Amino acid sequence: RPEIELADLTGFALQTACWGDPGATGLALLDPPPPAALDAARSTLRALGALEDGGVTGRGRALARIGLHPRLARALVDGAPEVGSRAAAEIVALLSEPPPRSAGDDLTATWRGLRRPGRPADAHAARWRDEVRRLRRSAHGGGPVEGPAGDAAPDAWARRGDDAVAGVVVALAFPERVARARRGSGHLMASGTGAVLDAGSALAGARPEWLAIAAADRPSGSASARVRQAVVIDEEVARFAAAPLLETAEEIAWRDGDVTARRVERLGAIELDAAPLRDPDPERMRAALLEGLRAEGLGLLNWTAAATGLRRRLAFLHDALGDPWPAVDDAALLDLVPQWLAGARRRADLKRVDVAAMLRGLLAWDQAKRLDEYAPERVEVPSGSRIRVDYSGERPVLAVKLQELFGWDAAPRLAGGRVPLVVHLLSPAGRPAAVTADLASFWREGYRAVRAELRGRYPRHPWPEDPAQAVPTKRTRRASGS
């Protein structure tokens, strides 16, 4: 693949902006830059103050003249007043070239090793010294470096040691790689990516709370980046160097099974501090409850037996008759739920919603009047029992002991006569003995086989030869003549 499709285009975007062509539209390139990568590069440059209103700024031209990736140029320019031009140049020179294999992941230790007086230990150390000299000249405006002025780190950082000095520069270059230890193991970078130290890491033993990560890679298939070089820092360094990522926001959301309302301070994806909101916006609280219902389901509501039964009856009528009988599937109810949440602020409030009353409120007056006729909750059978109709399946079912239906030639039809009621005829033990939607046909054709099978097993129950003319009963003692 062409390199332009894979490379970091931040430096390229800065150069083209300096040429007066921020979008690189006037260049005769073999391959055009990917729009998404170019947009990301320009976004980085805006954050560095190198671009403004689509054009290059004076700061941007100054960064371009240094001859480094804009991030490193920014670390040099902004780091020099904070830690001294010498230290800033030394750290940036260290960041501008991959470290030798022998270097560990402790960037501060590598820096100390390179600073030792005497001849350079190897080619990497020699190149580093040359680059430091070049960068110091750049930090001084391109002229010769005269004396120690500006070289020393200001007391504010120097007193805190090499880690603080190096950490400021690294974090200025890569603020999104500032990372904080998280529960369990590893760190979380401000970018939102996880980071882990190798088992043999020189830094791991210190169990650092904060890191400024200079270099990392992500092994194939891994969700976290592997730290190659980093500096141990503290929260003060993180807040200072990654200040553009600091934000305080009111967060009202469904979190860990309930609504949380907090004022949260974050450094990118890293949560620094949180405090409960005293007077959260009621509308946002209801929106968070709805978010929870969508995420976890309508089971969070108070589904009493009455509410569940009513919902099934309404679902049956909607399927059988369509509009205007309301749809009560999950999607339809989630659209209606906001009307039910007046005053609700917490998960516990969802259990106080009278779901049955809310469902009845979906019906017009004439529908409410016909509900028990079209989809009765119970049906009275010849024995006098009032049996609950089961609407949970595809067809409504009446499950009743066979002896209670003697003399009944037809079960009522529901939905205004459109849907037959399926009858499950039960044995005296309550087990299904037969299923029919046509009782008269069953008495004529199916009953004889059921009687032959069950009569001997349940002799204390009536098994008349002509059930259509027999007296229905709930009694267990057999009547004479049966």
Side-chain angles (χ1 to χ4, degrees), residues 459-463 471 473 475-482:
R460 294 175 57 82
H461 292 78
W463 299 99
V471 176
T473 181
R475 298 173 181 266
T476 59
R477 187 176 299 276
R478 195 166 44 149
S480 62
S482 66

Side-chain angles (χ1 to χ4, degrees), residues 13-85:
L14 180 56
Q15 289 296 336
T16 59
C18 289
W19 299 338
D21 187 8
T25 57
L27 299 179
L29 300 171
L30 291 174
D31 298 283
L38 196 57
D39 286 345
R42 287 196 289 257
S43 177
T44 298
L45 293 173
R46 285 192 293 272
L48 297 179
L51 289 185
E52 189 175 278
D53 298 328
V56 67
T57 63
R59 176 180 170 84
R61 292 188 183 278
L63 296 180
R65 281 194 295 268
I66 293 173
L68 286 173
H69 187 287
R71 286 179 177 275
L72 299 184
R74 179 270 178 110
L76 179 67
V77 170
D78 292 350
E82 296 296 331
V83 303
S85 61

Side-chain angles (χ1 to χ4, degrees), residues 127-478:
R127 289 193 302 273
W128 176 78
R129 289 189 181 183
D130 289 342
E131 182 67 356
V132 169
R133 283 191 288 270
R134 186 184 76 82
L135 294 177
R136 289 182 66 197
R137 287 194 296 272
S138 296
H140 284 270
V145 179
E146 299 177 357
D151 280 356
D155 287 346
W157 299 113
R159 284 198 303 267
R160 301 180 58 185
D162 286 350
D163 276 336
V165 171
V168 166
V169 179
V170 172
L172 283 171
F174 306 108
E176 77 284 357
R177 293 189 200 163
V178 166
R180 186 181 192 179
R182 55 184 176 183
R183 293 177 184 175
S185 62
H187 288 69
L188 176 67
M189 292 193 279
S191 65
T193 301
V196 294
L197 295 165
D198 276 339
S201 163
L203 299 173
R207 296 184 178 179
E209 174 71 11
W210 288 89
L211 290 173
I213 298 174
D217 58 34
R218 182 178 294 183
S220 178
S222 174
S224 295
R226 179 172 50 192
V227 176
R228 290 305 189 191
Q229 270 200 324
V231 181
V232 176
I233 60 172
D234 58 23
E235 185 173 329
E236 184 179 351
V237 173
R239 284 176 175 271
F240 167 76
L245 301 180
L246 277 171
E247 63 175 358
T248 300
E250 290 187 354
E251 178 187 273
I252 300 177
W254 184 265
R255 182 188 178 105
D256 298 328
D258 207 341
V259 175
T260 60
R262 312 182 300 161
R263 186 180 303 278
V264 183
E265 185 182 20
R266 296 184 184 278
L267 186 68
I270 300 170
E271 184 176 304
L272 299 175
D273 191 28
L277 284 177
R278 293 183 178 179
D279 190 21
D281 181 0
E283 288 299 322
R284 293 182 64 190
M285 295 290 282
R286 281 195 291 274
L289 278 174
L290 184 58
E291 176 189 341
L293 284 168
R294 293 188 186 281
E296 299 195 23
L298 292 168
L300 296 177
L301 296 172
N302 186 22
W303 287 100
T304 62
T308 300
L310 178 56
R311 183 186 186 186
R312 289 172 176 170
R313 293 162 69 195
L314 294 177
F316 159 69
L317 289 174
H318 180 75
D319 290 343
L321 302 175
D323 293 334
W325 292 97
V328 289
D329 56 276
D330 282 3
L333 290 186
L334 283 169
D335 287 339
L336 296 168
V337 159
Q339 305 169 29
W340 303 357
L341 300 182
R345 297 166 63 90
R346 302 291 180 191
R347 177 178 181 143
D349 295 335
L350 296 176
K351 293 298 183 183
R352 301 187 182 98
V353 175
D354 188 342
V355 179
M358 295 299 177
L359 290 173
R360 288 189 178 276
L362 302 178
L363 301 177
W365 179 84
D366 60 328
Q367 291 173 308
K369 184 177 179 181
R370 288 181 292 165
L371 174 62
D372 288 337
E373 174 190 351
Y374 279 21
E377 183 178 1
R378 294 177 179 273
V379 168
E380 185 172 346
V381 297
S383 67
S385 297
R386 291 182 54 78
I387 307 298
R388 186 182 299 276
V389 179
D390 181 1
Y391 292 93
S392 62
E394 292 184 5
R395 299 275 294 278
V397 171
L398 186 73
V400 59
K401 290 183 180 180
L402 183 148
Q403 284 77 10
E404 297 196 51
L405 301 185
F406 290 159
W408 212 23
D409 61 354
R413 297 175 68 87
L414 307 185
R418 291 172 177 80
V419 180
L421 181 60
V422 176
V423 179
H424 287 197
L425 296 120
L426 307 180
S427 72
R431 300 187 182 93
V435 175
T436 183
D438 185 348
L439 267 176
S441 176
F442 170 75
W443 295 136
R444 291 193 308 269
E445 302 169 6
Y447 170 73
R448 188 170 301 171
V450 172
R451 179 176 184 264
E453 179 184 351
L454 300 181
R455 182 182 183 188
R457 197 181 305 171
Y458 303 103
R460 294 175 57 82
H461 292 78
W463 299 99
E465 291 187 4
D466 185 2
Q469 301 300 320
V471 176
T473 181
K474 293 184 280 187
R475 298 173 181 266
T476 59
R477 187 176 299 276
R478 195 166 44 149

